Each structure stands twice: as structure tokens, then as C-alpha cells.
Amino acid sequence: MEKMFCFQCEQTAGCTGCSGSRGVCGKGQDTARLQDELTGVLIGIARASDGNEVTKSTTEIIIEGLFATLTNVNFDNDSIRELIRRAEEEKEKLIPKCSGCGSPCSRNENFDMESLWGDNEDIRSLKSLILFGIRGMAAYAYHAMALGYEDEEVNQFFYKALFAVGQEGDMEYLLPVVMETGEVNLKCMAMLDRANTETYGIPAPTEVTFAVDKGPFIVVTGHDLKDLEELLRQTEGKGINIYTHGEMLPAHAYPKLKAYSHLRGNFGTAWQNQQKEFQNLPGAVLFTTNCLMPPMDSYADRVFTTAAVAYPGLKHIHAVGGRKDFTPVIERALELGGYSERTEFTGINGGKKTVTGFGHNAILSAADKLIEAVNNKAIRHFFLVGGCDGAKTGRNYYTDFVKQAPDDTVILTLACGKYRFNDLDLGEAGGLPRLMDMGQCNDAYGAVKVAAALAEAFGCQVNDLPLTMVLSWYEQKAVCILLTLLHLGIRNIYLGPSLPAFLSENVLGYLVENYNIRPISSAKEDLKRILAEED
């Protein structure tokens, strides 16, 4: 069997690519090969869809299949094989038969991903930006779809982008598709924002404790609010408390979710700490999305997966007739019993609580106060410090950056990178909190809305605002968000902790020249440079 090749995440081996028998994330070469095979079939579907009418089930398998190939989502070979089977079945429905012989046309063949990994480095780089971008976007489309929201333009772009990945083409052909990926992802994030807020209400600033009460409990991690809602409904009145983890933290800010009194607080920090934080945990854990790490023996018997997440040996909760039965999770939580008394936990910096829910509606409702604070010099600069967290060294930069930011600056944050500093009390500037958690990674849409509204209020372009984006990336959702920011023409983004291994020298040069993307250096030096440029 050929060895794996994968360089889609930030922790990839040697900043070049995982090419041994197992990736840094724990993915084996057999799983990597199957994920490549699945991607090749999805490209085959895109090819076969040209000139044919696709169905809802065809689009659903494309979205689900792309989602399953994100980093730290699906480690289970059997479930990937099932996705391949379903994808092949959908493709067969689309393949037009040649007259007479009845055999498929060659243009409908599946794509061999080995040809991509061995392609010219610039072509490989651009195709990787497209592929990894739509993998991240597929996760957002999946969550919106679970709530009954779809966008035909978003759906159709998955076919176009997959077709481009499998098509021979030069930089002139591929670069516009890269930029279009960012444009369509903005529409996709807007759709998910609408789905979440119309279903669960407008998020409002909410204090969340890190303590865990006495008694049985379930920890829910990931991004899928629909799964959380269903679990809350099924556990109501059963003496089980629910705690969020990772990217699920912002759920506390949605009115219809926090109306459940047994949604109690947040357990743990970012995804990469789960193997330490879940050790001998006396509660059950439900993974609704990435990032799942290979579970340790000490807690594997209490971990459950659902949706696109899967791992060999773990109990998976399937949807039957559109409904999920979380009884196995509930029964395991009751068996484990939880802590014998209320147990206090802290964030990375020792704080016992945090505040979330500063979505675009909350921030813009205070726009007059914010504008006055800028005009009065009470607020000098805004920093959006957010993105993915991860285990690789160098991420303390983001904690240092926030701690060293002057008292007349405001920190906006989102995604799991905030766990580096979200338990800090930074006080206020101009009567506003200096640290405002805007939500999940997909809530980058909200940050865009805030920036656009401020630019309009000040009569300038977004790039002229006293606003700097300092982003951390790990996986494919961060890739599609970066492409969205580039589509919007946002310049001077600081990116780290390292630059993506899939960016060739020429493609990186293009991004630096046209968008002035800057690799992070040290918090002290970057702050000095940013504030000096503003002056």
C-alpha cells in the first residue's frame, strides 16, 4: 500500500506534509487513502453533473462527503467506505450512457488524487486552496442544512469547485475559482448565521462558568446547535446537566438554548487539550463535529459521535427518520454519576468564567457608543484575534498579544483560538468590554458585518479602519474564512503560527504582493509595527 500524503492542516509534519504510515492527527494511511478515494468520487459526481439535473440527495452526499474529510472529523474506515458507496450510487444516476454501447463516458471518471499531490507545485497549491476551502464551507452548509436552510448558489458552487480541482488548468483558470471560493463562503456563512438566529434567537452577552455541578452530566463539543438542542430536549427533567466544550461555548448566548435550565456551563478548553481534560471524566461526551482526537482508553467508553464524526469502536448516534435518539449517551451519563460535589475548573489563565455572545447584533447595537469612543480617543484600535487553536508550539503568541495590547484597544475574538485568553479580565475601554467573544468560527461573518458597518459610519474603506486581523489557523474552516477575507479585499492580515504548507512560493508571493499577508513574528514586535503604522 502506498504511504499517505496529507498537508491540509497546520500541524502537518515538518511543515511540509504527513507522508508516513500515520499522520500527526492520528489518521492512518488506510484512512487517508479512503478519504482521497472519496474525494475522487465526489469529483466524479461533479463531472457527471455537467449537463445533468442533480437531486437533493446528490448535493447532500457531496456536502457530507467533503465534511467527512476535514481534519479530525472521521477516522472510521467503514463509515468512509459507506460514504464512497453512496457517492458512487449517486454518480451512477447521473452518468449519461453512450448510444449503442451503453458504457459511461470517460469524462465521468473518478479523479485520482495522487495526480494532484504530484502535480506542479503552483497548480497543486491553487487546487488545494479550492479543495480545502470547500471542505470547510461544506461543514457550514451541513449545519445550515440540518436546520432546513439551503442556498442554491452555494450548492452549485460545490460542483463547480470540485470540477475545477479535477480539471487541467493553469493559474489564470484556477485563481478566479480560489477567489470565488471566498465569495461563496461569505454567502454560506450568512446562510448559517440566518439559520442559527432565526431558529434560536439573537445571541446576547452571557456569562458562562467553568464549574461543574454535582451529579450526572454530558459534555457536548463541536458546532452543531441542532444536536445540542435535541440533547437538551431529551435530557430535560432527567437530572442530567449539559456542559459545552470547544466551539459549542457560544450556544449559551442563544435565547432558546439558554432557556434550558440544565445547560449549565462550559467544560474544558480548546480541542487539543481533550486527551488530558477528558481523562477519567465521570460524564459522557458527545462529538457533533471536529475536532475529535483519538480517544484514550481511560475515557473511550464514554465518548459518542454523531453526524459526520466517527472513530473506530466509538458508539455512533445515527439519525433515523430525521431524528436522533441520544438514549445511549443519557444512560452512560447516569451510570457514571458525575462528580460527588460541585467541582471548580479554570481557564488557561486561571479565570473561573468567561463571557460569550458579542455577535454582530450585540456589537452594532452599541455602535453609537463605539463610534463616540473612537472619536474621543478612548478606543485607539481594534484587534480581531481569533481562529483555530492547536497543539504546535508558537501559539502562546496569541495570549501574549492580547495581554500586551494597550488598555485603549479592544479585542474581538471568535473560534476556539479564544481559549488562549478568554478567561482574562481585560476591563473596559470607552465603556465597552475590551474582550468580546463573537462566537464560533463561522461567526467571522459577523466580524465582516461589524467592519463594514464601522467603515460606513466613519466614511472610509475597511482597510482604513483602526482594525487589524491577527488570525490563527489549523484546519479547513480557517482556510475558507481566509479566502473570504481576501475576496473582500482585506489587507495586512497577520497569520500564524506558521504559514500553510500547501502554499507554493509563487502563490504565497501573490498573496503577499496583493494582500500583504504577514506571518506573525513576536507579539511585542507586531503590536509595535501595527500601532506605529496607524500613527
Side-chain angles (χ1 to χ4, degrees), residues 518-535:
R518 301 177 177 183
I520 61 172
S521 57
S522 72
K524 182 178 180 180
E525 288 303 313
D526 288 345
L527 276 166
K528 182 179 178 181
R529 178 190 301 175
I530 292 166
L531 296 175
E533 288 176 349
E534 179 194 45
D535 295 337

Side-chain angles (χ1 to χ4, degrees), residues 67 142-144 146-147 220-229 248 288-289 307 324 440:
F67 187 5
Y142 186 97
H143 299 318
L147 294 173
V220 186
T221 188
H223 305 70
D224 201 292
L225 300 183
K226 173 78 170 177
D227 286 329
L228 173 62
E229 177 197 27
M248 196 62 83
T288 68
T289 57
K324 295 180 181 179
Q440 297 181 342

Side-chain angles (χ1 to χ4, degrees), residues 53-65:
E53 184 176 351
V54 299
T55 65
K56 182 178 177 66
S57 63
T58 313
T59 302
E60 285 176 351
I61 190 61
I62 280 185
I63 291 173
E64 187 177 350

Side-chain angles (χ1 to χ4, degrees), residues 334-355:
L334 291 170
E335 290 171 1
L336 291 164
Y339 293 106
S340 58
E341 59 183 7
R342 179 179 168 89
T343 305
E344 297 286 343
F345 294 96
T346 66
I348 289 177
N349 302 286
K352 295 184 177 182
K353 60 185 179 182
T354 190
V355 178

Side-chain angles (χ1 to χ4, degrees), residues 194-208:
R194 189 171 66 257
N196 287 339
T197 55
E198 290 181 358
T199 305
Y200 301 114
I202 304 298
T206 303
E207 186 175 281
V208 183

Side-chain angles (χ1 to χ4, degrees), residues 295-359:
M296 310 287 284
D297 291 341
S298 64
Y299 65 86
D301 65 337
R302 59 209 64 185
V303 177
F304 299 79
T305 60
T306 192
V309 194
Y311 193 88
L314 297 186
K315 176 71 174 179
H316 189 81
I317 307 299
H318 294 276
V320 179
R323 183 181 179 277
K324 295 180 181 179
D325 183 357
F326 289 113
T327 298
V329 190
I330 294 169
E331 290 179 343
R332 190 68 182 111
L334 291 170
E335 290 171 1
L336 291 164
Y339 293 106
S340 58
E341 59 183 7
R342 179 179 168 89
T343 305
E344 297 286 343
F345 294 96
T346 66
I348 289 177
N349 302 286
K352 295 184 177 182
K353 60 185 179 182
T354 190
V355 178
T356 190
F358 289 98

Side-chain angles (χ1 to χ4, degrees), residues 363-424:
I363 293 177
L364 292 178
S365 68
D368 291 344
K369 191 174 186 179
L370 189 153
I371 292 168
E372 181 183 0
V374 173
N375 289 333
N376 292 339
K377 308 298 183 184
I379 296 178
R380 177 184 181 186
H381 203 90
F382 296 89
F383 296 105
L384 175 61
V385 185
C388 308
D389 205 357
K392 187 182 286 187
T393 57
R395 290 183 181 268
N396 287 340
Y397 165 93
Y398 298 94
T399 311
D400 296 340
F401 191 99
V402 169
K403 286 182 175 180
Q404 294 176 30
D407 291 343
D408 58 356
T409 62
V410 169
I411 310 295
L412 305 175
T413 189
L414 46 79
C416 64
K418 62 174 168 269
Y419 280 103
R420 294 274 169 177
F421 48 79
N422 72 337
D423 62 324
L424 292 171

